[in-house]
Amino acid sequence: MNLPADHIRLLFGLKMRQMRLDKGLSVSELAQQSGLSVSYVTEIEKGRKYPKADKISALANAMQVDYDALVSLKLSKKLEPISDLLRSKFLTEIPLELFGIDPSDLLELLAEAPAKVSAMIRTFMDIALSYNMSVERLYLTMLRSYQEMHDNYFPEIETDAERFLNEFAQQGQSVGEALLINLLKTRYDIHIEQFDPLTQPELVSLRSVFRPEHRRLHLNAALTAEQRAFILAREVGFQYLGLKNRPYTYSWVEAESFEQILNNYKASYFAGAILIRRDALVAKLTDLFARDTWSNDAFLQLITDFGSTPERFFYRLSNVLPSHFGIDQLFFYRFNHIAGQTTFQLTKEMHLSRQQGPRGIVDEHFCRRWIAWTILQELQSLQQNKEFDGTLCRAQLSEYADSGLQYLIISVAHPFQPQTQQNISVSMCFAVNDALKSKMKFMNSPSGDLPFRVVNEACERCGIFDCRERVAAPTVLQKKRQFAGMKKAMEKLR
């Protein structure tokens, strides 16, 4: 495998430094015995210089090692994780600049403390293996971090969307399916066909497949109108933004690189921006927030007005609320639930708040008082007893028992896969603070029609012992209290 020149310099420097230390030589001693300057030897060890053959020979002789052993790219066992990292696609495929990291700074960090960095890298690798983290999952985790760093708002894509709208949907016209199909056919020479998931059950989980060699976009015939519009807008996004390196399936993605995941996100962001116009959304939200009381029906109507799915609408909210309303302490999550079962699966989350929420909870039972769960239970009951097949919206003011922090949670639940009786709830949670109260008038009304409930993170961490919804013992809390008691007893020892 061919390595970039800076990686080869770093590998050589790391190896030379390790050999020097193994021989018990200081930098100045190696410089003196090899006839090189101290500064030049330091530059080599930091991966900034790669010496010529005569200087490598002088260094090898000074350390009494074989020339070929010194120039070999094979590192010692303690430095193997760094070697694995440099040989992997990570440093070449991950655009570190997106995360505010200069690649040269990272390489210098590796050179400055190779043993410690090597141990850290090995730890991360072991954690990833322990949790069976796939490459796709790693890339998606990195993408979420990228979104959160920027409050999920990207002005350059918003500008591209505005340019598209000015060109193809002037005077505030909505972008509909007919316009998108026409653009794909006439401007981008893409033919659109449907596949039947009943006759091709292997494709039932896919919403679309793009075959670039045939210029064909295959759509699942079972898609709703809202889902179909988003898929078409997303494909227009790939074409309009010129995103060549991309996945060809949706919503399942097999990622070959982080660039594919990032481009998939850019096309999806673009689709949301042209389907839900920013200026129209800001105007309607301003009206909604100016109400004296909260209305579930009014919020659902807002989603319907924009021809969106609840999840896509919440995602668009996460773009607009921080940038246009100053509401940036929020998080989003999605739960899937099969009617009749007692388990609820967290399938997506994104945090623009660094406080409460599902993040960091593994193998524990989320609080059953969350509106995201109770709305799914209500939807199941309506489906079973009243043959309800619509969408529910509920809001709740939740106060976390341990921290006292309050959140406004808006949750929407609807059928996801009716054939398997699977429902889905998507929720957006807003930290209750002065910024939120200044923008949402109904938050300041004593009778704002918002149910209030004390909640917690998970049963295992919860001290609400009379909770009827509890499904697991507070084991984490008990261990925490036992540890605190032990520490207190230790302090009394003389």
Side-chain angles (χ1 to χ4, degrees), residues 240-292:
Y240 189 79
L241 300 176
L243 303 173
K244 304 297 183 183
N245 190 2
R246 51 165 291 187
Y248 295 121
T249 58
Y250 186 81
S251 55
W252 174 79
V253 173
E254 183 179 28
E256 296 178 357
S257 66
F258 180 72
E259 184 183 7
Q260 284 191 355
I261 294 293
L262 184 60
N263 285 343
N264 183 65
Y265 170 72
K266 289 179 178 178
S268 298
Y269 189 111
F270 178 87
I274 65 173
L275 292 173
I276 304 179
R277 285 177 175 267
R278 180 176 52 185
D279 53 353
L281 179 59
V282 170
K284 287 183 177 291
L285 287 176
T286 301
D287 291 341
L288 181 69
F289 295 164
R291 294 183 174 217
D292 292 324

Side-chain angles (χ1 to χ4, degrees), residues 163-329:
R163 180 163 49 88
F164 173 90
L165 292 169
N166 290 333
E167 186 176 356
F168 298 107
Q170 296 179 0
Q171 299 177 345
Q173 294 177 338
S174 62
V175 174
E177 188 173 324
L179 171 62
L180 296 169
I181 291 175
N182 182 60
L183 279 174
L184 289 172
K185 287 183 177 180
T186 61
R187 188 181 179 96
Y188 302 114
D189 191 31
I190 293 177
H191 303 280
I192 299 170
E193 297 182 1
Q194 290 190 339
F195 62 85
D196 188 349
L198 296 179
T199 59
Q200 296 175 281
E202 299 85 0
L203 301 177
V204 68
S205 63
L206 293 179
R207 295 186 181 182
S208 68
V209 179
F210 181 63
R211 299 299 302 273
E213 66 275 21
H214 304 300
R215 305 295 294 173
R216 282 192 176 88
L217 178 63
H218 299 264
L219 300 178
N220 190 318
L223 294 178
T224 64
E226 295 83 4
Q227 292 170 335
R228 192 164 54 246
F230 174 74
I231 296 296
L232 294 170
R234 174 176 167 272
E235 189 57 45
V236 168
F238 280 122
Q239 305 300 325
Y240 189 79
L241 300 176
L243 303 173
K244 304 297 183 183
N245 190 2
R246 51 165 291 187
Y248 295 121
T249 58
Y250 186 81
S251 55
W252 174 79
V253 173
E254 183 179 28
E256 296 178 357
S257 66
F258 180 72
E259 184 183 7
Q260 284 191 355
I261 294 293
L262 184 60
N263 285 343
N264 183 65
Y265 170 72
K266 289 179 178 178
S268 298
Y269 189 111
F270 178 87
I274 65 173
L275 292 173
I276 304 179
R277 285 177 175 267
R278 180 176 52 185
D279 53 353
L281 179 59
V282 170
K284 287 183 177 291
L285 287 176
T286 301
D287 291 341
L288 181 69
F289 295 164
R291 294 183 174 217
D292 292 324
T293 58
W294 168 258
S295 171
N296 294 319
D297 292 338
F299 188 80
L300 277 183
Q301 187 60 49
L302 201 57
I303 298 174
T304 301
D305 289 345
F306 283 103
S308 176
T309 63
E311 182 172 349
R312 184 52 48 189
F313 185 77
F314 277 134
Y315 254 69
R316 190 63 179 139
L317 284 186
S318 72
N319 303 147
V320 170
L321 290 176
S323 59
H324 288 75
F325 292 89
I327 300 173
D328 56 2
Q329 291 296 302

